Amino acid sequence: MVFLLFLGQISAVETTLQLVAFNIPYPPDYGGVIDIFYKLKALSECGVSIHLHCFEYNRPQASELEKYCARVYYYPRKKGLLYQFSAKPYIVVTRNDRQLLHNLAANQAPIIFEGLHTCYFLNHESLKNRVRLVRTHNVEHEYYLNLGKVESNVFRKLFFRIEAFKLRQYENVLKNADHLLSISPNDNLYFDRKFGNSHFSPAFHPFNEIKSKEGKGDYILFHGNLSVAENRQAVNFLIQHVFPKIHQKVIIAGKNPSAEFAKKIQSLPHVQLIANPEGQQMDEIISQAHICLLPTFQDTGLKLKLLASLFSGRFCIANTPMIHKTGLEHLCRLADTPEEMINCINQLWDKKFTSEEIEKRRIILEDDFSNKRNALKIIQIIRNSNVS
C-alpha cells in the first residue's frame, strides 16, 4: 500500500524517463551493462515508462529490451582515427549523434546519462530545463590511467594515457547535471566533494535473494572477464604469487581468455580454466566454490563480481581496492599480500560456511543492495527535483 501511494504521488512527467546507454544493455554479461539492464528492469517494475537510447557497435539489437521499455532507439557509434584528435575524450565524441539530441528534446521527461561516455549533450541548450542525472560508473580518468599502467601494447598504453588526461578535463561537464548517481560510497565521496550533488546508488544486479549454500565447496574460484586488462592483471598476480604456493584445486572462469593466458595455466596442474561459461553455468560455478578470491588493482566503481560472489558464493577473500568504502567490508576476509591470501585460504579451507554467515549477508545485501529499493530512490530524487 505504501509503495502504491508513493507512486501515486509522482506526476505523469516523472513516471516517464529517458535513459542513454553507452552500449546495448542486453545480454547483461559484463559490469556496466549488467547495472544498466537491471536498473531498467527495476524502474519498469516500479511503474516507470522508459525511453531507452543506446549505441550500437559490437552487440546486436535486442528485442528483450522492449519488455521493459516503451521505446528503444539505436544509434551507430562512430569510429576511426580522426576522433582520436578531438579535444573531447574518444569515448564521448564517438557517441555524438544528432538524432539522439533530437529524440531527447522531443519531450520533457527526465534523462539519465549512463557514464561520462554518454554526456556529449549533457550541457546542450535544448536540454537545459530538463532534469538531468548522470550515472557515474567509475572515476573515469583514474580508471583509464590504471588501464594504461597495466597495458603492454605501446599504442594502447598511449591511448589510455591520453584518454585519461582528456577525461580529467572533460569531467567538469558533470556540473551541468542536477544529480549524480555514484555506484560506490568511495566514488560518491569523490563526486560529492567536487560537485556537491552526488547520491550513492548501488549497482543494480540480477540477484533478488541470497543463494549462498551452507557447508563446504570443492575449489577456490577467480572469475571475471579475462579480456579486460584489470582482470588479467589480477589473475596474473595470483598465478605468479599465490596459486603455486597452495595445494587446493583452483578454477579460473571468465570470458575470452587469450591463448597465452591458457598456456600459463597449463603449467599449474591444480588450476583449471573454464572459458566463456554461460550465465547459468557461471552461477553454478560460483555456488559450488568454497572460496571466491577477489583481488583487484582498480579501486574505482563497484565490482559486480563482488556482488555475485556474495549473493551466490561462500567465503570471499578480497583485497583493499576491491572492498574499500563499498559498505561490504564486513562480509569479506581482507588480504592484500600473497602471504595474507595464502594464510586466509588455509584458515578457511576446512571451515564450513554457516547459516550465520548467510544471515549476515541477508541483512546487508537484501536491504542496501535491493534493486527495488534503489529504483525507488532514483524515482524519489527525480520527484524532488521536479517539485523544487
Side-chain angles (χ1 to χ4, degrees):
M1 178 62 73
V2 172
F3 172 55
L4 293 174
L5 288 173
F6 174 78
L7 285 179
Q9 295 174 334
I10 302 174
S11 69
V13 170
E14 290 169 317
T15 53
T16 300
L17 175 67
Q18 303 207 68
L19 189 146
V20 186
F22 50 79
N23 204 341
I24 297 171
Y26 192 87
D29 55 3
Y30 73 89
V33 297
I34 291 173
D35 176 65
I36 296 172
F37 177 77
Y38 288 101
K39 187 186 306 113
L40 290 172
K41 187 173 183 291
L43 287 167
S44 174
E45 289 168 355
C46 288
V48 178
S49 176
I50 302 165
H51 290 226
L52 173 64
H53 308 265
C54 42
F55 285 90
E56 179 180 3
Y57 58 100
N58 61 358
R59 295 155 69 88
Q61 295 185 9
S63 58
E64 181 73 13
L65 295 170
E66 296 168 14
K67 294 180 181 178
Y68 309 105
C69 303
R71 294 285 303 272
V72 181
Y73 302 88
Y74 297 94
Y75 310 92
R77 184 183 173 190
K78 298 174 172 64
K79 59 182 179 179
L81 187 62
L82 179 65
Y83 297 102
Q84 302 276 8
F85 297 100
S86 170
K88 289 185 172 66
Y90 183 82
I91 64 171
V92 176
V93 73
T94 54
R95 291 179 173 88
N96 161 24
D97 190 287
R98 303 305 294 186
Q99 187 60 45
L100 168 63
L101 177 63
H102 174 78
N103 290 338
L104 290 175
N107 63 56
Q108 292 300 308
I111 306 168
I112 296 179
F113 295 88
E114 289 286 341
L116 200 55
H117 316 52
T118 66
C119 289
Y120 191 93
F121 296 118
L122 176 63
N123 61 341
H124 196 277
E125 181 72 16
S126 63
L127 304 179
K128 70 176 183 179
N129 294 322
R130 201 72 53 82
V131 175
R132 291 159 294 173
L133 303 91
V134 177
R135 162 54 126 196
T136 59
H137 289 260
N138 283 297
V139 179
E140 293 295 347
H141 64 270
E142 292 181 2
Y143 182 72
Y144 272 76
L145 191 62
N146 286 329
L147 288 178
K149 288 177 181 177
V150 301
E151 180 58 59
S152 56
N153 181 285
V154 174
F155 296 105
R156 286 180 61 80
K157 182 182 287 286
L158 181 62
F159 165 76
F160 286 134
R161 287 182 175 177
I162 293 171
E163 192 75 349
F165 174 79
K166 291 180 180 179
L167 285 163
R168 188 183 188 95
Q169 306 305 311
Y170 189 72
E171 187 181 73
N172 284 324
V173 75
L174 297 178
K175 67 185 180 185
N176 296 284
D178 296 285
H179 302 280
L180 304 178
L181 305 173
S182 297
I183 205 166
S184 75
N186 203 30
D187 286 7
N188 185 52
L189 183 64
Y190 170 86
F191 286 113
D192 206 50
R193 281 177 174 171
K194 188 165 184 179
F195 299 106
N197 59 350
S198 185
H199 311 263
F200 172 42
S201 178
F204 288 79
H205 52 80
F207 312 105
N208 294 317
E209 59 184 1
I210 304 300
K211 294 185 178 179
S212 301
K213 298 176 180 178
E214 295 181 41
K216 284 186 88 298
D218 301 321
Y219 49 82
I220 297 160
L221 173 66
F222 176 93
H223 63 102
N225 185 340
L226 299 173
S227 67
V228 174
E230 173 190 353
N231 290 325
R232 292 200 305 271
Q233 181 189 20
V235 79
N236 281 330
F237 167 85
L238 295 173
I239 288 172
Q240 185 175 355
H241 299 292
V242 177
F243 295 156
K245 299 176 183 179
I246 61 175
H247 66 275
Q248 293 89 348
K249 179 182 177 181
V250 174
I251 289 179
I252 298 171
K255 292 176 61 177
N256 304 324
S258 67
E260 179 187 3
F261 181 76
K263 190 174 180 181
K264 284 183 184 179
I265 293 173
Q266 287 175 357
S267 66
L268 297 168
H270 62 300
V271 180
Q272 176 188 354
L273 173 65
I274 300 179
N276 301 306
E278 297 295 331
Q280 188 172 349
Q281 183 187 7
M282 187 72 249
D283 292 343
E284 186 69 15
I285 291 168
I286 294 172
S287 72
Q288 294 299 330
H290 189 61
I291 297 170
C292 290
L293 194 52
L294 300 163
T296 186
F297 298 95
Q298 287 267 21
D299 63 354
T300 61
L302 176 73
K303 316 305 177 191
L304 279 156
K305 66 181 177 181
L306 172 59
L307 283 181
S309 301
L310 289 171
F311 268 96
S312 300
R314 293 186 178 92
F315 294 109
C316 293
I317 301 174
N319 64 348
T320 297
M322 175 63 78
I323 57 175
H324 180 57
K325 294 184 179 178
T326 61
L328 301 171
E329 294 89 340
H330 301 301
L331 301 181
C332 301
R333 270 60 170 186
L334 177 64
D336 284 317
T337 67
E339 293 74 23
E340 289 171 346
M341 291 180 186
I342 292 165
N343 288 337
C344 206
I345 288 168
N346 291 330
Q347 289 167 14
L348 294 175
W349 190 249
D350 292 322
K351 290 186 66 174
K352 290 184 177 181
F353 194 71
T354 64
S355 59
E356 289 78 13
E357 295 270 6
I358 293 172
E359 186 58 28
K360 187 162 64 171
R361 290 185 180 185
R362 183 172 287 114
I363 290 168
I364 294 176
L365 292 170
E366 292 185 5
D367 187 12
D368 293 345
F369 289 82
S370 158
N371 285 345
K372 180 177 177 180
R373 170 179 169 163
N374 289 308
L376 287 172
K377 181 177 177 180
I378 292 173
I379 294 170
Q380 184 69 54
I381 289 168
I382 293 170
R383 173 178 173 271
N384 290 344
S385 297
N386 278 296
V387 169
S388 59

